[in-house]
Amino acid sequence: MSAHDEKKPRHAKKRSVVASIGLHAALLTASAISLIPLAWLVLTSFKPKDAWISSDVRFFDQPTLDNYRYVLTETSFPRWLLNSVLVAGMTMVIGVLIAASTGYAISRFRFAGLRTILWLLLVTQMFPVAVLIVPLYNLLGRLGLINQYPGLVIAYLTVAVPFSAWMMKGYFDTIPTEIDQAGQIDGLTPFGAFFRLILPLAKPGLAVAAFYSFITAWGEVAYATAFMTGDDHYTLAPGLQQFVSQTRAEWGWLTAAAVLITIPAGAVFLAVQRHLVTGLTAGASKS
């Protein structure tokens, strides 16, 4: 055996054909199983209204756009969608700004109470939503923000900002402090160095924070149901509850609305997806 073969790592051995076929078959099977609920959702949305309860074994028959037509023209779904886009967009923009500045501050500066702030960012993630609804409702009520979009955005920021700030802190730790120092030597203020030098290097981390903040507001149910009243003020989550009564659920309308809901979320994901893996893993270790 040559010296080159002796140095070859054990994990570099070539996988057998049978093992490779088995691995790919298992992955394809798992992928197919995970796609079954999505396929059922899409196909049901194109079926006639009550076709989903039919005993007919045919998988897909008589496709129609009636469910989509009803949801878009006979309900307040367009208004709910607009409200959700507005609330999720505001949560994303404000959340990224606060999380990025907070993460940068606790990454670069040493001050009294730093450890306390770090612990608070972690502790706030431990409380379930059900525990926070009542105190948040009382607080927003005193501020006159019940049934107001800014109040709902504030509620979502209490969820999105702590995680995003902690994640951004880990990402900023991977950016050399010499970059900040070089900028300040050239006459930049600490904020100028942060805005002009550090933020452009932190695009992957910002993408993760933006996506997390958007999804936090986009699919949330409890806060939206508790803090918003009236059909014109509903976001998607409480709005879709109008399709469910005590005795019946309109699955045709629900599935059509669910397919439409995925479009904005998918657009945000496609916009940031090339940065997501880098942003999630960059703060995992520090060189």
Side-chain angles (χ1 to χ4, degrees), residues 196-236:
R196 298 179 62 179
L197 301 178
I198 304 302
L199 280 187
L201 298 175
K203 286 182 179 179
L206 295 175
V208 175
F211 185 69
Y212 178 77
S213 299
F214 183 88
I215 293 299
T216 296
W218 186 252
E220 201 278 332
V221 178
Y223 288 157
T225 303
F227 301 154
M228 307 301 288
T229 59
D231 202 50
D232 291 340
H233 291 86
Y234 281 157
T235 55
L236 287 168

Side-chain angles (χ1 to χ4, degrees), residues 44-125:
T44 302
S45 71
F46 286 105
K47 291 181 178 181
K49 181 179 177 182
D50 294 324
W52 66 275
I53 59 176
S54 174
S55 59
D56 193 341
V57 297
R58 284 177 292 183
F59 191 57
F60 189 51
D61 187 34
Q62 299 178 349
T64 177
L65 294 175
D66 288 346
N67 292 323
Y68 290 92
R69 188 178 300 111
Y70 179 86
V71 167
L72 291 173
T73 61
E74 302 295 330
T75 70
S76 298
F77 179 85
R79 178 66 182 181
W80 304 336
L81 181 64
L82 179 62
N83 293 343
S84 289
V85 171
L86 176 64
V87 171
M90 293 174 60
T91 303
M92 180 178 67
V93 173
I94 299 174
V96 169
L97 290 175
I98 297 177
S101 57
T102 302
Y104 181 76
I106 60 181
S107 172
R108 290 295 194 264
F109 303 110
R110 296 294 177 266
F111 51 87
L114 174 61
R115 184 174 294 274
T116 302
I117 293 177
L118 292 174
W119 276 107
L120 285 175
L121 292 177
L122 287 178
V123 170
T124 52
Q125 302 297 301

Side-chain angles (χ1 to χ4, degrees), residues 15 29 43 64 129-130 137 151 164 174 177-178 181 189 206 219 229 234 256 260 271 278 282:
R15 186 186 297 116
T29 302
L43 293 177
T64 177
V129 172
Y137 188 93
S164 298
T174 66
T177 57
E178 288 78 4
Q181 297 169 359
T189 63
L206 295 175
T229 59
Y234 281 157
L260 294 172
T278 303

Side-chain angles (χ1 to χ4, degrees), residues 170-178 281-287:
Y171 192 87
F172 286 133
D173 285 344
T174 66
I175 300 177
T177 57
E178 288 78 4
T281 59
S285 61
K286 183 178 179 181
S287 59

